[in-house]
């Protein structure tokens, strides 16, 4: 078969470009960005390359990337799959973006960089990568951990003090992230020493079976060097920065010499970023895992521009603004599996990376997150365990959405999180107030306390309740200085000053007295809690998806900040932090919230359209096509009788119109029998798709089966109540249809969503994130926060 051509760079000297011109670097990520479905939009466009890959590998590259098996978890398959997809991505983008001035790749990505520089062709590169993956995959018994919040000097000092000679630095990624590698016992001990000496530092074990880029790879490196010796490798036609030296491959030295040492040697990525800055790189183009490598470059750039002793950085041309195609992720982002031989799942956290200095440093410390940013809960587990785990593994924070779930389902979610996250990982659980079911609220809190949950997002509360006070007060104590301190954090979503006032004050004395009398609190806990505000954090919820009062963020945040200041003397402990939610779908919106004085931001709608969201693909397809005007208001099913509203999707579904019709019928009539027969027949055909008598039978059975038969009995005697319960059945069914992706009932999909979704869709239009399948929640968070930092930096320059 004819070998497909792979256009290499134009023949130019392997020296750095003239730094007086704009200089652009192309960066390739390494292993870890693989996920099922990657390359789906590339294989049909490059059939010859796919056929060649099949011949070289002996199996179908398309089936490997798009199939249902788990081979992508194995190094021997992941590496050739990534090399192929990254190569095809470069081909697809090259016509529009042109050639880079220089290239670099992180670990495996260096093979792609050498291909772009003309050192090897596609077939040769694939053969080498297949052998590399096989050799590295055969090694086992080692361990790796990402050290987040420390630099190379600190890690090397602890390594020297530990006396361990079986652990070494594998990746020096940035000034605030290092990866260590070696024997499992040694990695565990060094991680403990590092974490114990610095509360702001975290060591996160990586799910790998070998110690990559360490002495454990010596045998694999030697065998790979033998393979390289037989390969036809040309001198680079443009500068390629080598991982081993953080310098360009010398034109006169064989490429194989350096490349052969790479598997066993440290990845000197921090120095590589410094090298890019030294030669005047002002834009990076990344292919691979989201914006991780871009983030490392920006961190180095920000540190370089920060004058000694602080002050304003000197102005300098920076990378393209957020939303520009040159800095958007060009590959699907990793799902639940952190990188193995490449970048850790969470890039550098400290305030030196773009976006991490925004908001409250204390919020980041308390919530164990590198951004003052939270992925908020979404009901029925739409904010899923996968979402919470993805955020935690990325050094970020998210709340699981418990609204509408039984206690058994909540328990299952906690079991899942406990199995998949290490002890101490940061995550939270939603506590949605239900004025009709105080028993479930109390049981949920007791489950949280039993399982050691330390963070709760309190939503839909119009008053402080005993279960909420119990959660906040349990474990309350005086610290070493005699100040009141809480173990449990309550982030309360509020949209009204009168509700915020309750959360800013200590718990009502009568609730504390009741809990003390019950034996739910000790005397010390009750006494200390009486000096603490109910909430550790307030989240000002403006017009948002789901339940909304239609508030305006420009009015609400300043108002509640002033309220906090006026009440600060009424409670002890730490000052309550105030954040913002609602309408946050662009970097500009995030920046505006921080300019208004927010300590943190919380997103919702944009996370619903992600691979981790616990809703159907049909819903995600619909959400990804929304514009800012494609949402409207409808009655809330849980608060139907009082006319509370939710914001929902309008485009592509009839839910809002039909739900509003049901509320108007309820408001005008006292019983179902008063509604004219023609309207009833229409409702049965369009909304309920069954006779109303059958709906009532199912409703009564539901309340009896869930231990609340009195609700059905009362409704039998109260015709108005019975009508409300029948109509509320539609709201529950429309949610189920959306969650399940019931296409035969798509007209009735109930999808809670705000205009932020449309704003985000416009932001990422024409980029890789235009597809929701590439919108991992941590990538969305990084895009919004690093973009907000750029917006604010540009504003300061102006």
């Amino acid at each position: 078969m004819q070998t497909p051509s792979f256009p290499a760079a134009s023949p130019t000297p392997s020296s750095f470009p003239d730094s007086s011109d704009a200089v652009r670097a192309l960066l390739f990520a390494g292993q870890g960005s693989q996920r099922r479905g990657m390359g789906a939009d590339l294989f049909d466009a490059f059939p010859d390359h796919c056929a060649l890959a099949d011949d070289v590998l002996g199996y179908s590259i398309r089936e490997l990337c798009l199939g249902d098996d788990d081979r992508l978890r194995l190094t021997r398959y992941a590496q050739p799959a990534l090399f192929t997809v990254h190569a095809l991505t470069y081909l697809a983008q090259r016509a529009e973006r042109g050639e880079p001035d220089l290239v670099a790749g992180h670990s495996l990505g260096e093979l792609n960089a050498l291909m772009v520089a003309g050192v090897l062709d596609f077939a040769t590169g694939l053969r080498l990568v297949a052998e590399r993956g096989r050799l590295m995959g055969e090694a086992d018994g080692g361990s790796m951990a990402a050290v987040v919040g420390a630099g190379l000097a600190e890690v090397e000092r602890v390594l020297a003090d530990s006396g361990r000679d079986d652990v070494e630095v594998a990746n020096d990624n940035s000034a605030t992230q290092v990866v260590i590698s070696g024997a499992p016992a040694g990695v565990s001990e060094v991680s403990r020493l590092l974490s114990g000496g610095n509360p702001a530092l975290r060591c996160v074990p990586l799910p790998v079976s070998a110690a990559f880029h360490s002495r454990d790879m010596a045998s694999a490196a030697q065998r790979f060097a033998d393979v390289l010796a037989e390969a036809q490798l040309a001198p680079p036609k443009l500068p390629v920065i080598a991982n081993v030296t953080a310098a360009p491959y010398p034109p006169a030295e064989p490429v194989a010499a350096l490349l052969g040492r790479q598997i066993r040697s440290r990845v000197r990525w921090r120095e590589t970023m410094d090298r890019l800055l030294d030669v005047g790189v002002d834009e990076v183009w990344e292919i691979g895992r989201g914006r991780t490598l871009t983030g490392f470059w920006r961190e180095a750039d920000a540190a370089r521009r920060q004058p000694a002793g602080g002050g304003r950085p000197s102005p300098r041309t920076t990378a393209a603004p957020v939303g520009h195609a040159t800095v958007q992720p060009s590959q699907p982002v990793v799902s639940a599996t952190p990188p193995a031989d490449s970048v850790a799942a969470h890039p550098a956290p400290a305030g030196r990376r773009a976006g991490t200095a925004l908001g409250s440093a204390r919020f980041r410390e308390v919530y164990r997150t590198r951004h003052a940013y939270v992925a908020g809960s979404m009901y029925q587990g739409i904010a899923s365990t996968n979402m919470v785990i993805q955020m935690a593994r990325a050094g970020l924070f998210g709340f699981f959405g418990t609204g509408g779930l039984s206690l058994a389902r909540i328990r299952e979610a906690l079991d899942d999180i406990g199995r998949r996250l290490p002890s101490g990982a940061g995550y939270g659980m939603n506590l949605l107030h239900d004025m009709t079911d105080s028993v479930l609220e109390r049981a949920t809190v007791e489950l949280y306390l039993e399982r050691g949950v330390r963070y709760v997002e309190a939503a839909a509360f119009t008053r402080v309740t005993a279960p909420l006070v119990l959660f906040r007060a349990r474990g309350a104590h005086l610290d070493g200085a005699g100040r009141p301190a809480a173990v449990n954090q309550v982030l309360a979503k509020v949209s009204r000053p009168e509700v915020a006032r309750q959360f800013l004050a200590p718990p009502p004395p009568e609730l504390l007295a009741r809990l003390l009398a019950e034996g739910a609190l000790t005397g010390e806990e009750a006494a200390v809690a009486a000096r603490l505000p109910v909430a550790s954090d307030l989240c000002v919820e403006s017009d948002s998806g789901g339940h909304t009062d239609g508030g305006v963020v420009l009015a609400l945040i300043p108002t509640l900040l002033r309220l906090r200041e006026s009440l600060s003397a009424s409670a002890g402990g730490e000052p309550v932090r105030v954040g913002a939610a609602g309408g946050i779908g662009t970097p500009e919106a995030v920046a505006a919230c921080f300019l208004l004085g927010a300590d943190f931001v919380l997103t919702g709608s944009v996370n619903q359209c992600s691979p981790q969201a616990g809703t159907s693909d049909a819903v995600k397809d619909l959400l990804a096509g929304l514009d800012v005007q494609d949402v409207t208001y409808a009655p809330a099913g849980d608060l139907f009788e009082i006319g509370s509203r939710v914001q929902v999707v309008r485009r592509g579904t009839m839910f809002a119109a039909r739900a509003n019709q049901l509320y108007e019928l309820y408001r005008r009539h006292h019983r179902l029998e008063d509604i004219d027969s023609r309207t009833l027949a229409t409702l049965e055909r369009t909304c309920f798709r069954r006779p109303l008598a059958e709906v009532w039978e199912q409703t009564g059975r539901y309340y009896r089966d869930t231990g609340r038969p009195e609700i059905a009995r009362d409704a039998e005697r109260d015709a108005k109540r019975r009508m409300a319960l029948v109509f509320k059945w539609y709201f529950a069914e429309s949610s189920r249809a959306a969650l399940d992706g019931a296409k035969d009932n798509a007209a009735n999909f109930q999808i809670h969503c705000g205009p932020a979704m449309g704003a985000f869709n416009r932001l990422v239009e024409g980029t890789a994130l235009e597809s929701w399948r590439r919108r991992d929640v941590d990538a969305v968070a990084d895009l919004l926060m690093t973009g907000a930092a750029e917006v604010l930096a540009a504003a300061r320059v102006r």
Side-chain angles (χ1 to χ4, degrees):
M1 98 181 235
Q2 183 177 359
T3 301
S5 61
F6 191 99
S10 301
T12 57
S14 183
S15 58
F16 288 119
D18 184 350
S19 61
S20 63
D21 300 324
V23 181
R24 182 173 60 164
L26 171 58
L27 309 178
F28 285 97
Q31 188 175 342
S33 56
Q34 68 271 15
R35 66 183 295 269
R36 186 180 303 162
M38 66 178 184
D41 55 346
L42 296 168
F43 298 139
D44 288 340
F46 299 98
D48 291 343
H49 289 79
C50 291
L52 177 57
D54 293 351
D55 284 347
V56 170
L57 299 173
Y59 52 80
S60 168
I61 190 68
R62 180 191 295 268
E63 291 180 6
L64 173 63
C65 295
L66 307 184
D68 293 332
D69 59 47
D70 290 332
R71 287 183 295 168
L72 283 178
R73 295 180 181 274
L74 303 176
T75 296
R76 66 179 302 169
Y77 292 107
Q79 291 198 11
L82 282 168
F83 177 85
T84 301
V85 171
H86 288 178
L88 300 186
T89 300
Y90 170 71
L91 279 179
Q93 296 178 357
R94 184 176 184 270
E96 176 185 350
R97 299 187 179 184
E99 295 177 0
D101 296 298
L102 68 164
V103 286
H106 196 290
S107 190
L108 169 66
E110 190 166 321
L111 276 295
N112 283 111
L114 292 168
M115 182 187 61
V116 170
V119 173
L120 45 85
D121 60 22
F122 176 70
T124 301
L126 191 54
R127 290 188 185 95
L128 291 175
V129 168
E131 188 64 13
R132 182 183 191 268
R134 184 185 68 80
L135 293 171
M136 294 178 71
E138 288 177 354
D140 57 20
S143 179
M144 299 179 76
V147 183
V148 183
L152 179 63
E154 181 176 357
V155 173
E156 289 188 326
R157 177 184 59 77
V158 173
L159 281 172
D161 293 345
S162 73
R164 305 282 317 204
D165 61 0
D166 56 355
V167 182
E168 58 191 289
V169 172
N171 300 349
D172 177 18
N173 286 332
S174 77
T176 54
Q177 187 195 96
V178 173
V179 175
I180 57 175
S181 183
V187 169
S188 178
E189 180 183 345
V190 173
S191 295
R192 180 180 56 79
L193 293 172
L194 283 162
S195 301
N198 184 350
L201 183 151
R202 299 193 321 281
C203 294
V204 183
L206 299 181
V208 297
S209 60
F212 298 134
H213 294 290
S214 75
R215 61 177 62 87
D216 287 8
M217 291 288 114
S219 174
Q222 181 57 55
R223 292 158 69 191
F224 187 54
D226 294 341
V227 174
L228 287 169
E230 303 298 324
Q232 297 295 318
L233 304 178
K237 296 177 180 177
L238 54 80
V240 182
I241 311 299
N243 285 184
V244 174
T245 62
Y249 276 86
E253 183 178 331
V255 169
L258 282 181
L259 190 57
R261 293 160 48 195
Q262 190 226 49
I263 294 176
R264 183 257 175 270
S265 302
R266 176 184 303 178
V267 176
R268 298 169 62 177
W269 196 255
R270 175 182 54 83
E271 296 170 81
T272 297
M273 297 300 95
D274 287 338
R275 176 77 65 164
L276 299 186
L277 293 169
D278 288 342
V279 299
V281 168
D282 51 14
E283 180 182 323
V284 294
W285 161 17
E286 179 174 353
I287 292 178
R289 176 182 160 75
R291 297 163 61 88
T292 302
L293 301 183
T294 305
F296 290 148
W297 177 74
R298 286 183 179 151
E299 181 182 347
D301 180 41
R304 181 74 61 91
R305 291 188 289 121
Q306 183 68 39
R312 174 177 293 186
S314 58
R316 142 189 202 332
T317 305
T318 60
V322 169
H324 191 284
T326 57
V327 294
Q328 293 300 326
S330 48
Q331 268 304 107
V333 206
V334 70
S335 55
T337 306
D341 73 328
S342 181
V343 183
H346 26 274
R352 293 153 70 176
R353 183 184 174 200
T356 58
L358 300 179
S360 164
R362 180 59 178 159
F363 180 90
R364 297 195 299 272
E365 179 183 357
V366 170
Y367 283 81
R368 308 175 189 180
T369 174
R370 56 187 169 84
H371 292 317
Y373 176 104
V374 173
S377 69
M378 292 175 283
Y379 80 138
Q380 291 280 355
I382 292 175
S384 64
T385 57
N386 286 338
M387 186 177 294
V388 165
I389 290 164
Q390 179 86 359
M391 291 292 283
R393 285 176 170 170
L396 298 166
F397 194 94
F399 285 104
F400 176 78
T402 64
L405 299 183
S406 66
L407 194 64
R409 288 279 305 280
I410 298 171
R411 186 177 290 109
E412 289 172 2
L414 286 169
D415 289 342
D416 186 33
I417 294 169
R419 282 192 301 268
R420 297 166 59 193
L421 282 182
S423 176
Y427 74 94
M429 302 292 287
N430 172 233
L431 184 65
L432 184 66
H433 178 57
D434 184 347
M435 64 179 63
T436 68
D437 196 352
S438 60
V439 174
L440 177 61
E441 186 178 314
R442 178 64 178 263
T444 303
V445 165
E446 289 176 347
L447 175 62
Y448 291 167
L449 294 173
E450 173 193 330
R451 295 298 187 88
V453 173
R454 292 290 176 255
Y455 305 88
V456 154
E457 179 202 75
F461 283 81
T462 56
R463 60 182 177 82
V464 172
T465 65
L468 191 60
V469 172
L470 172 60
F471 179 82
R472 176 65 164 160
R474 179 67 64 82
H477 61 282
L478 297 178
D479 66 14
R483 296 168 299 199
V487 171
N488 298 329
Q489 311 299 314
V490 172
L491 187 152
K493 290 172 130 179
V494 297
S495 57
R496 296 171 178 266
E498 67 271 20
V499 177
R501 183 181 294 273
Q502 297 179 58
F503 281 101
L504 289 165
E510 62 272 17
L511 293 184
L512 286 172
R514 185 199 310 171
L515 292 168
L516 182 61
E518 294 173 4
L521 294 177
T522 66
E524 180 187 6
E525 288 171 335
V528 174
R531 300 169 56 190
L532 289 168
V534 174
S536 56
D537 305 86
L538 284 184
C539 185
V540 179
E541 192 168 29
S542 57
D543 198 21
S544 60
H547 290 86
T548 179
D549 288 330
V552 178
V553 68
L554 295 174
L556 281 172
I557 291 181
T559 298
L560 294 191
L561 285 172
R562 288 190 176 93
L563 180 63
R564 177 188 66 178
E565 297 309 313
S566 69
L567 297 177
S568 60
S570 66
E574 294 188 30
V576 176
R577 296 168 290 267
V578 176
I584 299 176
T586 62
E588 293 83 0
V590 174
C593 291
F594 286 123
L595 280 174
L596 285 170
D599 291 313
F600 63 92
V601 294
L602 181 147
T603 57
S605 295
V606 294
N607 302 320
Q608 189 175 188
C609 192
S610 71
Q612 292 77 36
T615 190
S616 64
D617 287 0
V619 166
K620 296 173 188 179
D621 289 340
L622 196 157
L623 289 170
L626 295 185
D627 209 334
V628 290
Q629 74 277 8
D630 292 330
V631 292
T632 189
Y633 299 100
D638 55 343
L639 300 172
F640 177 79
E641 296 92 328
I642 63 175
S644 182
R645 300 186 306 167
V646 289
Q647 191 161 202
V648 297
V649 171
R650 172 174 57 185
R651 180 181 177 185
T653 171
M654 295 295 295
F655 168 77
R658 291 172 178 174
N660 281 308
Q661 180 190 19
L662 291 178
Y663 182 70
E664 284 304 309
L665 290 170
Y666 173 78
R667 195 175 59 84
R668 294 201 310 263
H669 300 287
H670 292 289
R671 56 180 189 164
L672 285 169
E673 291 76 10
D674 293 340
I675 302 173
D676 67 271
S677 58
R678 182 176 179 181
T679 299
L680 287 175
T682 301
L683 294 179
E684 289 180 334
R685 185 180 72 254
T686 58
C687 296
F688 299 96
R689 306 200 306 159
R690 68 202 69 200
L692 291 180
E694 182 181 332
V695 172
W696 172 240
E697 180 184 346
Q698 291 181 11
T699 301
R701 187 186 314 121
Y702 166 77
Y703 286 110
R704 289 190 295 272
D705 291 347
T706 55
R708 295 175 289 169
E710 70 281 357
I711 295 178
R713 287 197 301 268
D714 292 345
E716 290 284 7
R717 295 189 294 267
D718 184 343
K720 184 81 168 179
R721 177 67 173 147
R722 179 170 173 263
M723 177 168 57
L725 293 181
V726 168
F727 285 173
K728 289 171 76 168
W729 179 96
Y730 172 69
F731 291 81
E733 180 62 22
S734 60
S735 291
R736 276 193 296 270
L739 291 170
D740 295 342
K743 294 185 178 180
D744 62 333
N745 199 19
N748 287 312
F749 280 4
Q750 179 184 177
I751 308 167
H752 292 188
C753 185
M757 187 74 260
F760 186 84
N761 288 339
R762 282 190 170 268
L763 171 70
V764 299
E765 186 176 3
T767 75
L769 291 191
E770 187 169 3
S771 167
W772 65 259
R773 289 173 173 81
R774 299 181 178 182
R775 299 182 188 182
D776 284 355
V777 284
D778 54 321
V780 171
D782 283 333
L783 174 64
L784 294 177
M785 291 296 289
T786 58
E790 291 173 353
V791 169
L792 293 172
R796 284 194 294 270
V797 171
R798 286 197 297 270

PDB file of all heavy atoms in Angstrom, residues 354-366:
ATOM      1  N   ALA A 354      -2.026  31.215  36.320  1.00  0.00           N
ATOM      2  CA  ALA A 354      -3.099  32.126  35.951  1.00  0.00           C
ATOM      3  C   ALA A 354      -4.420  31.594  36.453  1.00  0.00           C
ATOM      4  O   ALA A 354      -4.775  30.459  36.251  1.00  0.00           O
ATOM      5  CB  ALA A 354      -3.139  32.290  34.427  1.00  0.00           C
ATOM      6  N   GLY A 355      -5.185  32.445  37.126  1.00  0.00           N
ATOM      7  CA  GLY A 355      -6.504  32.059  37.605  1.00  0.00           C
ATOM      8  C   GLY A 355      -6.507  31.659  39.056  1.00  0.00           C
ATOM      9  O   GLY A 355      -7.521  31.802  39.738  1.00  0.00           O
ATOM     10  N   THR A 356      -5.364  31.158  39.601  1.00  0.00           N
ATOM     11  CA  THR A 356      -5.394  30.661  40.965  1.00  0.00           C
ATOM     12  C   THR A 356      -5.301  31.773  41.996  1.00  0.00           C
ATOM     13  O   THR A 356      -5.599  31.547  43.163  1.00  0.00           O
ATOM     14  CB  THR A 356      -4.250  29.665  41.209  1.00  0.00           C
ATOM     15  OG1 THR A 356      -3.011  30.310  40.941  1.00  0.00           O
ATOM     16  CG2 THR A 356      -4.391  28.451  40.321  1.00  0.00           C
ATOM     17  N   ALA A 357      -4.874  32.968  41.595  1.00  0.00           N
ATOM     18  CA  ALA A 357      -4.762  34.064  42.547  1.00  0.00           C
ATOM     19  C   ALA A 357      -6.081  34.806  42.720  1.00  0.00           C
ATOM     20  O   ALA A 357      -6.188  35.687  43.564  1.00  0.00           O
ATOM     21  CB  ALA A 357      -3.675  35.041  42.098  1.00  0.00           C
ATOM     22  N   LEU A 358      -7.090  34.460  41.931  1.00  0.00           N
ATOM     23  CA  LEU A 358      -8.376  35.150  42.029  1.00  0.00           C
ATOM     24  C   LEU A 358      -9.143  34.668  43.247  1.00  0.00           C
ATOM     25  O   LEU A 358      -9.099  33.499  43.615  1.00  0.00           O
ATOM     26  CB  LEU A 358      -9.204  34.902  40.766  1.00  0.00           C
ATOM     27  CG  LEU A 358      -8.589  35.372  39.444  1.00  0.00           C
ATOM     28  CD1 LEU A 358      -9.522  35.038  38.286  1.00  0.00           C
ATOM     29  CD2 LEU A 358      -8.314  36.872  39.478  1.00  0.00           C
ATOM     30  N   GLY A 359      -9.883  35.585  43.867  1.00  0.00           N
ATOM     31  CA  GLY A 359     -10.747  35.206  44.969  1.00  0.00           C
ATOM     32  C   GLY A 359      -9.996  35.028  46.271  1.00  0.00           C
ATOM     33  O   GLY A 359      -8.885  35.522  46.463  1.00  0.00           O
ATOM     34  N   SER A 360     -10.633  34.309  47.187  1.00  0.00           N
ATOM     35  CA  SER A 360     -10.132  34.163  48.546  1.00  0.00           C
ATOM     36  C   SER A 360      -9.125  33.023  48.654  1.00  0.00           C
ATOM     37  O   SER A 360      -9.447  31.866  48.345  1.00  0.00           O
ATOM     38  CB  SER A 360     -11.311  33.893  49.495  1.00  0.00           C
ATOM     39  OG  SER A 360     -10.867  33.387  50.731  1.00  0.00           O
ATOM     40  N   ALA A 361      -7.925  33.334  49.126  1.00  0.00           N
ATOM     41  CA  ALA A 361      -6.926  32.296  49.359  1.00  0.00           C
ATOM     42  C   ALA A 361      -7.389  31.353  50.461  1.00  0.00           C
ATOM     43  O   ALA A 361      -7.130  30.144  50.423  1.00  0.00           O
ATOM     44  CB  ALA A 361      -5.589  32.931  49.729  1.00  0.00           C
ATOM     45  N   ARG A 362      -8.094  31.900  51.457  1.00  0.00           N
ATOM     46  CA  ARG A 362      -8.588  31.055  52.540  1.00  0.00           C
ATOM     47  C   ARG A 362      -9.651  30.081  52.030  1.00  0.00           C
ATOM     48  O   ARG A 362      -9.700  28.932  52.468  1.00  0.00           O
ATOM     49  CB  ARG A 362      -9.173  31.928  53.648  1.00  0.00           C
ATOM     50  CG  ARG A 362      -9.729  31.152  54.840  1.00  0.00           C
ATOM     51  CD  ARG A 362      -8.688  30.286  55.505  1.00  0.00           C
ATOM     52  NE  ARG A 362      -9.230  29.592  56.672  1.00  0.00           N
ATOM     53  CZ  ARG A 362      -8.723  28.505  57.204  1.00  0.00           C
ATOM     54  NH1 ARG A 362      -7.633  27.958  56.675  1.00  0.00           N
ATOM     55  NH2 ARG A 362      -9.270  27.939  58.271  1.00  0.00           N
ATOM     56  N   PHE A 363     -10.481  30.516  51.087  1.00  0.00           N
ATOM     57  CA  PHE A 363     -11.460  29.597  50.499  1.00  0.00           C
ATOM     58  C   PHE A 363     -10.732  28.441  49.822  1.00  0.00           C
ATOM     59  O   PHE A 363     -11.114  27.276  49.991  1.00  0.00           O
ATOM     60  CB  PHE A 363     -12.339  30.328  49.480  1.00  0.00           C
ATOM     61  CG  PHE A 363     -13.370  29.437  48.836  1.00  0.00           C
ATOM     62  CD1 PHE A 363     -14.623  29.291  49.397  1.00  0.00           C
ATOM     63  CD2 PHE A 363     -13.090  28.746  47.670  1.00  0.00           C
ATOM     64  CE1 PHE A 363     -15.574  28.451  48.820  1.00  0.00           C
ATOM     65  CE2 PHE A 363     -14.026  27.915  47.075  1.00  0.00           C
ATOM     66  CZ  PHE A 363     -15.273  27.778  47.658  1.00  0.00           C
ATOM     67  N   ARG A 364      -9.691  28.725  49.065  1.00  0.00           N
ATOM     68  CA  ARG A 364      -8.954  27.664  48.380  1.00  0.00           C
ATOM     69  C   ARG A 364      -8.335  26.699  49.384  1.00  0.00           C
ATOM     70  O   ARG A 364      -8.301  25.483  49.163  1.00  0.00           O
ATOM     71  CB  ARG A 364      -7.864  28.266  47.479  1.00  0.00           C
ATOM     72  CG  ARG A 364      -8.414  29.144  46.358  1.00  0.00           C
ATOM     73  CD  ARG A 364      -7.353  29.422  45.295  1.00  0.00           C
ATOM     74  NE  ARG A 364      -6.198  30.131  45.811  1.00  0.00           N
ATOM     75  CZ  ARG A 364      -6.081  31.443  45.887  1.00  0.00           C
ATOM     76  NH1 ARG A 364      -7.087  32.210  45.476  1.00  0.00           N
ATOM     77  NH2 ARG A 364      -4.987  32.018  46.343  1.00  0.00           N
ATOM     78  N   GLU A 365      -7.845  27.236  50.487  1.00  0.00           N
ATOM     79  CA  GLU A 365      -7.230  26.385  51.496  1.00  0.00           C
ATOM     80  C   GLU A 365      -8.269  25.493  52.177  1.00  0.00           C
ATOM     81  O   GLU A 365      -8.060  24.279  52.320  1.00  0.00           O
ATOM     82  CB  GLU A 365      -6.529  27.260  52.538  1.00  0.00           C
ATOM     83  CG  GLU A 365      -5.863  26.473  53.654  1.00  0.00           C
ATOM     84  CD  GLU A 365      -5.252  27.379  54.704  1.00  0.00           C
ATOM     85  OE1 GLU A 365      -5.289  28.622  54.542  1.00  0.00           O
ATOM     86  OE2 GLU A 365      -4.749  26.847  55.724  1.00  0.00           O
ATOM     87  N   VAL A 366      -9.392  26.077  52.586  1.00  0.00           N
ATOM     88  CA  VAL A 366     -10.412  25.318  53.319  1.00  0.00           C
ATOM     89  C   VAL A 366     -11.030  24.246  52.432  1.00  0.00           C
ATOM     90  O   VAL A 366     -11.273  23.116  52.869  1.00  0.00           O
ATOM     91  CB  VAL A 366     -11.493  26.267  53.869  1.00  0.00           C
ATOM     92  CG1 VAL A 366     -12.687  25.485  54.406  1.00  0.00           C
ATOM     93  CG2 VAL A 366     -10.910  27.151  54.963  1.00  0.00           C
TER      94      VAL A 366
END
